[in-house]
Amino acid sequence: MTGLKFILTTYSTAFTVSGGGESELVQVAEILKASGVHTDIYGIGSRPLSFYDGVIHFSVHADGHAILREAASRNKRIFLWPNVWWLEPVPASEVERIQHIIGLAHKLLFKSQAELDNFTQYIQVPAEKIEVLPTCVSNRFLAPADKDLMSTVSNSTDFALCLGLVEPIKNQLQTIRALNELKLDGLFVGGTRDDEYYRQCMAEAHPGISFLPFIQPCSAMLRSIIANCSVMVEPSIDPPGRSSLEGAIMQKPLVMSDGPWQREHFDDGVWYTATDSVSAIASAIASAINDPDRDARIATTYERVIARHSASTIGPQIAALLARESI
């Protein structure tokens, strides 16, 4: 054990709708514990703030400011994980608020150079506060999946899988239209943040497309669902994020939108598509299933992701950073 004790926090309303942020907290806590750092997630089971050496806070959301002020007032090291991707300029009032939060932080942790570039085009961050640490993916995704487990929640067999909250920025409606065009079954897992959009998606989906609610991150059920799919499809407007890395480690072909985040993580190992074209998405899905180089590209992507993002690699790096910066 390192002797370090950290608490993981986020803004108060983060889990009114469960999504990728919950997976982030769970997996970071898991890998830090495996790397010898005592780690708790803030809540009824956590200890008083005085117990911890520092705070790792996820998001720059306004609702998280209070706990950061409290941590700063107690001279706790604050490691801020912004977890944000902006698609348009940030209002001046937001810039001012976020700059104040940055002033409280000892370090800002970014999961990619693309994320850092996106953030710093709007927000000034002192160079000495910046650290880039790749996203970590739980070693549980390396374990053999129980493929039979999925049958308890879905009868889908040959299907495209789309993970994440159903909302316009994730572009599921265009994906559904592409699956309709291909007459390919689909499974959408993750619940909804936008009820009207969700109803439209269900209304347009052909009978072989089904929807499941949020599945616990890293769970045996989630891994079973990924193991059973023919292709993972995430042509979202923002970067697809951790779920695409999990799919890569489970050696699934990936279809996604193009962009700097995607290129940094996958290079040419996935099938890229425009987000606003049903025919382009359909073509990319068909290619990912039928491409003669499919297996080679899957293998190359697996090797790239496992080398850069496995918990065994990233966990010790984060633990070393926390130890170095907590002296």
Side-chain angles (χ1 to χ4, degrees):
M1 296 293 289
T2 64
L4 291 173
K5 302 181 292 293
F6 272 80
I7 187 166
L8 275 54
T9 64
T10 188
Y11 62 99
S12 60
T13 55
F15 303 127
T16 53
V17 178
S18 294
E22 183 166 350
S23 177
E24 191 89 58
L25 280 170
V26 169
Q27 293 198 46
V28 171
E30 177 183 295
I31 70 155
L32 284 176
K33 288 175 183 176
S35 299
V37 178
H38 178 103
T39 311
D40 293 325
I41 296 175
Y42 181 66
I44 191 67
S46 57
R47 294 159 174 82
L49 193 56
S50 58
F51 173 81
Y52 302 99
D53 298 301
V55 173
I56 302 175
H57 185 82
F58 295 79
S59 178
V60 290
H61 194 287
D63 286 353
H65 204 161
I67 197 164
L68 293 177
R69 286 197 301 266
E70 184 68 19
S73 73
R74 295 169 180 264
N75 295 316
K76 299 297 179 182
R77 294 285 199 190
I78 296 172
F79 294 82
L80 181 64
W81 223 310
N83 269 14
V84 65
W85 186 274
W86 287 302
L87 298 173
E88 56 188 27
V90 183
S93 58
E94 274 290 276
V95 171
E96 182 179 359
R97 181 186 64 76
I98 293 169
Q99 293 285 179
H100 184 64
I101 289 178
I102 290 172
L104 300 175
H106 180 65
K107 287 285 184 180
L108 272 73
L109 309 181
F110 295 92
K111 299 188 292 295
S112 65
Q113 185 63 43
E115 183 183 323
L116 170 61
D117 292 344
N118 177 271
F119 191 86
T120 53
Q121 69 179 315
Y122 303 116
I123 308 293
Q124 293 184 354
V125 184
E128 66 273 12
K129 287 192 175 187
I130 293 172
E131 294 285 345
V132 177
L133 287 167
T135 302
C136 60
V137 179
S138 170
N139 284 337
R140 280 186 274 176
F141 287 95
L142 293 171
D146 179 358
K147 297 187 74 171
D148 293 336
L149 187 60
M150 179 186 149
S151 64
T152 63
V153 295
S154 174
N155 294 321
S156 298
T157 52
D158 180 17
F159 66 95
L161 174 63
C162 186
L163 297 176
L165 285 165
V166 177
E167 55 183 335
I169 199 168
K170 296 302 181 186
N171 209 32
Q172 287 97 344
L173 187 57
Q174 294 289 69
T175 302
I176 286 166
R177 290 168 177 167
L179 295 178
N180 290 344
E181 186 175 295
L182 292 168
K183 297 180 174 58
L184 178 65
D185 287 354
L187 185 60
F188 290 76
V189 179
T192 181
R193 196 193 303 272
D194 186 317
D195 290 340
E196 183 177 350
Y197 185 74
Y198 184 61
R199 285 191 293 269
Q200 186 177 2
C201 286
M202 289 194 297
E204 293 201 24
H206 72 73
I209 295 174
S210 55
F211 300 81
L212 291 177
F214 176 77
I215 303 281
Q216 286 296 324
C218 309
S219 64
M221 179 61 75
L222 177 62
R223 290 183 282 115
S224 181
I225 290 169
I226 295 174
N228 276 283
C229 78
S230 302
V231 59
M232 287 183 65
V233 184
E234 296 190 47
S236 55
I237 310 302
D238 63 354
R242 180 186 299 277
S243 58
S244 61
L245 298 170
E246 294 166 353
I249 281 182
M250 291 191 68
Q251 301 185 59
K252 293 297 174 177
L254 306 174
V255 173
M256 63 185 64
S257 54
D258 203 349
W261 187 96
Q262 293 90 322
R263 292 286 174 175
E264 180 178 345
H265 288 79
F266 301 110
D267 196 24
D268 294 323
V270 302
W271 287 262
Y272 292 111
T273 179
T275 60
D276 58 353
S277 169
V278 171
S279 61
I281 296 172
S283 178
I285 294 171
S287 294
I289 294 173
N290 301 313
D291 192 326
D293 294 329
R294 176 179 182 272
D295 291 345
R297 291 173 73 173
I298 290 171
T300 298
T301 300
Y302 167 80
E303 295 295 341
R304 181 183 181 91
V305 171
I306 200 72
R308 297 181 179 206
H309 301 282
S310 75
S312 300
T313 298
I314 304 303
Q317 291 182 21
I318 301 176
L321 170 66
L322 297 179
R324 184 175 72 245
E325 300 296 336
S326 297
I327 296 174

